[in-house]
Amino acid sequence: APVLIIAAVHAPDAALPTHERRTMTIRTHLLLLVAAAVVPVFAFAVLVSVALVRHERDKQRTGAMDQARAMITAVDAELRGSIATLRALSASRALASGDLSGFHASAARALHTQPGWLDISLSEPGGRQVVDVATDPGTVPAAAADAADVARVASTLEPQVGNVVVDKLLGQPGVPVRVPVIREGKAVWVLTALVRPDAFRDLILQQHLAAGWVSGIVDRDLKFVARVPEVPLGSSASSAFMAAARRSSEGWYRGLTVEGTDTFTAHITSPFSGWTIGLAVPTSDVEAAARHSAWIMSVGAVLSLGLAVLAALFVGRRVADPVGSLAAAARSLGEGKEIPVETPYDVREISAVATALQEASTAIRDRQALLRREKAALEAADVAKDEFLAMLSHELRNPLAALRTAAHILKVMDPAQPAASRARDVIERQTGLMTRLIEDLLDTSRITMGKVALDRRPLDLAEAVGRVMETFRAAGRFSRHRVELHASPAWIEGDRERIDQIVSNLLDNAVKFTPQGGAISVSVGRAGGASRLQVSDDGEGIAADLLPHLFELFVQGPRGIDRSQGGMGIGLALVRRLAEMHGGTAAASSGGPGKGATFTVELPAIAPAVAGETAQAPRPRPGARRILLIEDNDDARTMLRDALALSGHEVADAADGTTGLAIASSHPPEIAVIDIGLPDIDGYEVARRLRRSVAGEIALIALTGYGQHEDRRRSHDAGFGMHLTKPVDLEQLEAAIAALSPRLRT
């Protein structure tokens, strides 16, 4: 009996009849699940609401900090622009010659071009003013009130942005910006521009701040330079702002403005100027967004819970039947069959699984289609690469073949023979073509990356076009065509070299695509507010589908196997990019194949320049000089040495910097031509050591394949007087020698 009793107590539920088991319906389970989830979900909603409030505050802080950072960057850019203008003014000829009266006139003209400046003055390093544009020439300026700042600029040789001051002579507030005028490594003067604070207030106004927002710029003494809403210039910032600015260079704090408004404020201090900008957002604006987000989250949580309960009540009655259908859907996926989007399932989870199975099937098919498209794109890119390499090979092999043949002729034939003379012409012409091809490729890369700086000066577009056409005519490029020029003065502000490049590419394009005996018409003149250049031809014309893409990189029309026409597809792309860099446009039109084409470039016109403004004095041919040539390429060094020797110079050469310094020590040269990329020590260091070790005057010329603005700046800082880019021809080198020769003792 006891045994029977124990067995009855410990019998599992499986031993009981089915109707006696403790069971619940799926609906009941779902209701219990929803009930158990209510408390955690509400707790989670509260946590999320708190997180949303913090997120909104962080979002406001990040936005305000980013905007303040952008504003201080704009302020720094404005100050850097003033510094750059002062540096340009410091290089005036009058200042270099000590002509203070002439410099007064130059500074007055410069002040007229700078509406954001109040005054320009020139001081000695000790602080005594010698020129003040606000006074008449010859008048002794008032003593500088900021002699300590002037002395600091003179000692550090660095530009400085001062604090806001009220000029005693003008009676107006301004910000002094100073740069040293350096001669032989020392400051001989300090040049000061008094900048209007209005320029900085305009920078704030350009931000279009929301109503109630406040922004201000303070100097290093935390005095206002500009503010919106306005306060007296030179007044102190709020105590909260000053404390935050002294505590860290940037940050976000809550405090009162000078008017007593409760705000959250972002502040950034510029490491360049030492100025600080503040952007204050009313506390109500920050808190309102946070409260709004929290309210939306709370309402959403309540609605979600209500919908979950209703869904549990509705789905609980129909949860078991779809399981078999789901298994069938899984089998369909395994067999690769399509699963329909519309499913008969009433249970959300099962429907989600079925939909996921269908989406997986669709994703597999989409991925296969994507792989096919990517494969096709890769194959197209590979074809484009092969086409580009084929074009590049063609464009390089033709001149290389001519150069090799010409070199052979010069090797086996008497130099006095006509064939030798023709070979020399071929070498000169083909090296010029290769140089231009390489320069076009490099220019394409530089312009694309924004590394081309224009040297813009007033010039007559008609004169530039005529000069380039004369070069084409002298080279025989127009011998197969009838070429006409209709030109009238059309002045622009442009980079002479880049304008020549635009004209050359347009003429080259017309010559290539106009058959022998065809006509090319070039016209230059004013058209409204623009100076217009048009190059028209009666050649092959342009298909309508190609016309919209004509100025894109590497775009060309159909070409035969001989590739007798066209080039790399970069000439017209350079034309448009260079025209746009000058603020102009480039366009093409054509009646279609066989009906010719017209290319039009329009650039902003300016008033005609005074005769002689842009003229350059002829460079005299230099006399014989002692020249040291340092170049690690043996062929380039040998040819350049022989060419300079034929011009009458006494030339010593070296293949590396160490050898060159040794030669200069024993036989001091007058001029050193130095390659920058040397195998032992670079050309910059060679230049510095030559400046220190060679007795007497020496002129330095940098010879390099790098010609960007930063490269020229580095060579100038190293002491080079000229910066020439490879390949350099003898005329260019002789011109550089002639330009530097007057600086040497004769």
Side-chain angles (χ1 to χ4, degrees), residues 394-395 398 512-513 540 559-567:
H394 176 266
E395 295 296 327
N398 279 344
K512 284 180 180 178
F513 293 98
E540 295 186 1
R559 295 158 56 115
I561 190 67
D562 59 350
R563 302 181 184 270
S564 59
Q565 292 178 328

Side-chain angles (χ1 to χ4, degrees), residues 60 63-64 67 208-215 227-229 257 263 279-282 285-286:
Q60 289 276 5
Q67 190 168 4
H208 302 293
L209 300 179
W213 288 33
V214 179
S215 181
R227 189 178 187 268
V228 174
T257 65
T263 61
L279 180 60
V281 184
D285 288 5
V286 177

Side-chain angles (χ1 to χ4, degrees), residues 442-452 553 577 581:
L442 292 175
D443 282 344
T444 300
S445 174
R446 294 167 185 159
I447 292 174
T448 301
M449 294 186 292
K451 293 185 176 181
V452 171
L553 199 59
R577 296 301 297 273
M581 290 177 65

Side-chain angles (χ1 to χ4, degrees), residues 642-664:
D642 293 346
L644 289 171
L646 288 173
S647 297
H649 301 293
E650 178 185 339
V651 185
D653 65 287
D656 54 66
T658 303
T659 305
L661 290 171
I663 294 174

Side-chain angles (χ1 to χ4, degrees), residues 237-263:
S238 67
S239 58
F241 184 85
M242 290 192 291
R246 293 189 179 109
R247 188 164 52 247
S248 62
S249 60
E250 63 177 64
W252 172 259
Y253 73 93
R254 182 174 181 176
L256 300 179
T257 65
V258 293
E259 294 91 352
T261 304
D262 187 13
T263 61

Side-chain angles (χ1 to χ4, degrees), residues 116-132:
W117 291 6
L118 290 168
D119 192 13
I120 299 176
S121 62
L122 184 70
S123 305
E124 294 177 345
R128 188 177 73 88
Q129 285 189 333
V130 295
V131 172
D132 191 331

